[in-house]
Amino acid sequence: MSQEPDTSGPSGITTDRFLFGGDYNPEQWPETLWQQDIELMRVAGVNAVTVGVFSWALLEREEGIYTFDWLDRILGMLHAAGIGVILATPTASPPPWFTLTHPDALPIRADGTQLWHGSRDAYCPSAPAYRAASSAIATALAERYGSHPAVTSWHVHNEYGTFCFCDHVAESFRRWLRRKYEDLADLNRAWYTAFWSQNYTQWDQILPPRATQYLHNPTHAVDFRRFMSDEFLQCWREQRTAIRSAGANQPITTNYMLPPWNHLEQWSWSAELDFVSMDHYLDSEGPDGETHAAYAGDLSRSWALGRPWLLMEQAAGVVTLHGNRYASKGPGRMLRNSLSYIARGSQGALFFQWRAPAAGAEVWHAGLVPHAGADSRVFKEVTALGAALAQIAEVADPAVQGPVVDADVAILWHADGWWALENRSLPSEHLDYSSAVRATHRALWQQGFAVDFVRPGADLTAYRVVLVPSMFSLDDAAVAALRAQVGTGGTLVVWYFSGVADQDLHVTPGGYPGRIRDLLGVRVDEFLPLDPAHTVELSDGLIGDQWSENVQLTTATAVTSYLQGELAGRPAITRNDYGNGAAYYVSTRLDLPSLKAFLSTVTAQAGVCPVLGSAPPAGVEVIRRNGVDHHYLFVLNHGSEPVRLSGPGTDLLTETSTAAGGLLINAGGVAVVREDVGATEWSLAVD
Ligand code: GLA
């Protein structure tokens, strides 16, 4: 797809080289080590560090009394060494004196448990004292460092997401609800409060969704999620105002994160950030970790509306998975992962953190300088990565404003889809938004397609194929955009449990998926969730599990049918011709091979090809990043076989031509190829 750059939203980050480095916490170390740190940074090619993320207690030892001397010294040293600073505001971790002075600014869990300082993120985002103190420290930092030559940008807070259910939050939530609904009767209607005697007669009867005797009201719970995202955004805006009012002009961001939870509605956030940045930690030690990195990269670029963004954190090695399992990063993986983000538009590869800490809660979290020091496998790879990023600096061309990657396929993505399925009284325990979206993205990744994510309601007509996994609720704008995409000749694929409800999570009556029945040409009168032990075979050999439905055809035709059980002979996947395009409906969960086979057929019919025309060899990732004069092919061999890339171009890492005999890329190896102008003939095969 080729589209004009969108001029709304984040402006994107522009740098004339890739940023390399990460969180640097000099305050944790004796000053005698600082010069050594800087020398090692120069050895490694580090050119950007994030300073001050958790420094509040050492910057403001008493209310309003700031101690900037150590920060002055380290910023001066970094600047002298040519290392840029992404200066953080430390508001993710208020100091102990703050919480003891303002106990009402401590967070309270849904069950009423009071949380205390002694870890981090001990704050209530709605507490007036916390908001005032955050603005005050942001102002103080910006007044002092707003024109410091080392400071290249601002990193406000760290990973917004601390939930609180206290009375401050209750008051703010009610204000948000009054703005949204205006009339209490409309809230009662939207929340369906006639059920279980929940009708509200005064605004101040409404609470955050605190612990209840039984199931929560799902619309109340999702509205609270939406409110919290807006509340965090308001916290961010106040700090932006503080920084700008103090005269600082550098770009301002905050770092997103997408682990098994999701606290922000990234589309509305990204419209306000100067550039999008993301922290990403692999969720798997195995090969699926690569698909996770790609997922994070494609999401970040999409939230940035196709413009360059910044990978703010990743791990150089050992990282804690899900609290108690540790995963390491084998040789070569740091480089391959970093290039995967960069290929997808990141303007750098930053890490958490520079030096592995000597003690503390994250003592076993990897650092660019591990406990073993510079004489270590990890630091050698860090240095090699720094050199590689310098070799490919031309790819970072600041003139490229987007789209940095062209994609013909897009997946609909919205936090509402995630939050709606947090309701635990669903018809199957397997309905899970992030798994459904990941599965779709993974199937495309394994076949080498470039993929964007798109916002419901956005203009989708530039995409040939739009995929809608698990988007339970759709508002009018989202429905209209899907109709327009198909009507103008696009191909749409909608999976079960999408389009069932409106934005208030009210099921549209008359058969599922009520919001888009006519677009899909089907009517489902019954969901038939499957026992987890059972699979269903479809007439074309595909395999489904977890879910099935009784699909009636209205205007669609059956592409494939259920073979066994009470649905034997009934449609499983359907296709409806609508306007100039086609809309498919998939009524079961396809296993990975089936999903790949199905998407391969659908994309081929829509005339969409993988990046190099056909699927790459197993485990090999190919992404094309756009430049102004050239395009760049990133080939990342995560597989176990050497592959050969042939075509008219030059590998920037080895400065070798890929023409003639082609370029051998060993298992675990990488290539970043500047394509000759007009190059189209590429081949990639196991050698
Ligand atoms: C997050 C935080 C960091 C650190 C890492 C550990 O991304 O921003 O401070 O805790 O996780 O993986």
Side-chain angles (χ1 to χ4, degrees), residues 265-344:
E265 194 287 276
Q266 293 88 354
W267 297 111
S268 54
W269 267 81
S270 303
E272 302 214 21
L273 303 181
D274 290 333
F275 64 89
V276 165
S277 69
M278 175 77 150
D279 297 347
H280 186 252
Y281 294 90
L282 303 184
D283 69 350
S284 151
E285 254 181 316
D288 202 40
E290 323 309 345
T291 72
H292 199 234
Y295 178 60
D298 285 334
L299 274 170
S300 302
R301 185 192 64 257
S302 302
W303 292 329
L305 301 181
R307 300 191 179 102
W309 56 282
L310 183 62
L311 180 77
M312 192 68 90
E313 290 181 22
Q314 63 172 324
V318 170
V319 65
T320 314
L321 290 179
H322 312 307
N324 57 4
R325 201 162 71 74
Y326 293 88
S328 62
K329 228 173 226 183
R333 198 169 195 186
M334 190 184 348
L335 173 64
R336 292 199 310 277
N337 287 162
S338 298
L339 292 179
S340 167
Y341 302 116
I342 284 175
R344 291 180 167 79

Side-chain angles (χ1 to χ4, degrees), residues 207-287:
L207 298 172
R210 292 177 179 160
T212 45
Q213 201 285 126
Y214 189 42
L215 300 170
H216 274 119
N217 177 319
T219 313
H220 178 180
V222 169
D223 260 351
F224 187 67
R225 285 296 219 161
R226 294 166 174 156
F227 153 74
M228 284 303 282
S229 176
D230 285 355
E231 187 77 341
F232 294 132
L233 181 55
Q234 190 52 29
C235 293
W236 183 86
R237 284 189 192 120
E238 285 170 14
Q239 291 202 45
R240 175 182 60 189
T241 301
I243 292 168
R244 291 283 178 251
S245 304
N249 293 320
Q250 300 93 340
I252 307 175
T253 189
T254 191
N255 46 345
Y256 294 160
M257 197 184 192
L258 194 71
W261 63 88
N262 180 37
H263 297 321
L264 305 182
E265 194 287 276
Q266 293 88 354
W267 297 111
S268 54
W269 267 81
S270 303
E272 302 214 21
L273 303 181
D274 290 333
F275 64 89
V276 165
S277 69
M278 175 77 150
D279 297 347
H280 186 252
Y281 294 90
L282 303 184
D283 69 350
S284 151
E285 254 181 316

Side-chain angles (χ1 to χ4, degrees), residues 98 160 172 174 222 243 270 290 313-314 344 358 409-410 419 440 490 496 559 564 575 591 605 617 658:
F98 174 81
Y160 276 105
S172 193
R174 288 179 205 127
V222 169
I243 292 168
S270 303
E290 323 309 345
E313 290 181 22
Q314 63 172 324
R344 291 180 167 79
V409 182
W419 296 334
T440 312
Y496 61 92
V559 172
Q564 305 112 352
R575 177 192 155 112
D591 67 11
Q605 282 171 0
T658 48

Side-chain angles (χ1 to χ4, degrees), residues 62-257:
E62 290 175 47
E63 189 150 7
I65 311 292
Y66 299 106
T67 311
F68 288 129
D69 54 335
W70 66 269
L71 194 52
D72 291 349
R73 286 196 294 282
I74 192 65
L75 259 54
M77 289 167 75
L78 290 163
H79 180 59
I83 298 168
V85 171
I86 301 169
L87 191 57
T89 64
T91 51
S93 216
W97 63 256
F98 174 81
T99 54
L100 292 175
T101 315
H102 304 285
D104 65 311
L106 283 166
I108 294 184
R109 284 193 176 138
D111 67 359
T113 307
Q114 167 84 70
L115 302 180
W116 296 91
H117 65 256
S119 176
R120 67 180 196 188
D121 299 281
Y123 66 91
C124 162
S126 303
Y130 170 73
R131 299 275 276 263
S134 298
S135 287
I137 186 119
T139 300
L141 282 162
E143 281 174 348
R144 192 164 188 98
Y145 301 109
S147 53
H148 194 290
V151 176
T152 58
S153 52
W154 292 86
H155 171 304
V156 165
H157 199 85
N158 189 65
E159 298 176 344
Y160 276 105
T162 299
F163 269 54
C164 179
F165 296 79
C166 75
D167 290 344
H168 291 310
V169 170
E171 274 179 37
S172 193
F173 183 37
R174 288 179 205 127
R175 282 195 293 274
W176 184 91
L177 291 168
R178 290 181 93 125
R179 281 196 299 276
K180 175 170 180 176
Y181 292 105
E182 293 178 3
D183 186 341
L184 198 51
D186 287 335
L187 177 142
N188 277 309
R189 204 165 20 250
W191 286 15
Y192 209 65
T193 56
F195 191 65
W196 284 351
S197 182
Q198 293 172 358
N199 187 61
Y200 296 100
T201 53
Q202 301 285 337
W203 288 98
D204 60 11
Q205 294 163 357
I206 300 170
L207 298 172
R210 292 177 179 160
T212 45
Q213 201 285 126
Y214 189 42
L215 300 170
H216 274 119
N217 177 319
T219 313
H220 178 180
V222 169
D223 260 351
F224 187 67
R225 285 296 219 161
R226 294 166 174 156
F227 153 74
M228 284 303 282
S229 176
D230 285 355
E231 187 77 341
F232 294 132
L233 181 55
Q234 190 52 29
C235 293
W236 183 86
R237 284 189 192 120
E238 285 170 14
Q239 291 202 45
R240 175 182 60 189
T241 301
I243 292 168
R244 291 283 178 251
S245 304
N249 293 320
Q250 300 93 340
I252 307 175
T253 189
T254 191
N255 46 345
Y256 294 160
M257 197 184 192

Side-chain angles (χ1 to χ4, degrees), residues 466-479:
V466 170
L467 307 173
V468 185
S470 193
M471 188 61 77
F472 175 67
S473 66
L474 292 173
D475 65 13
D476 291 347
V479 170

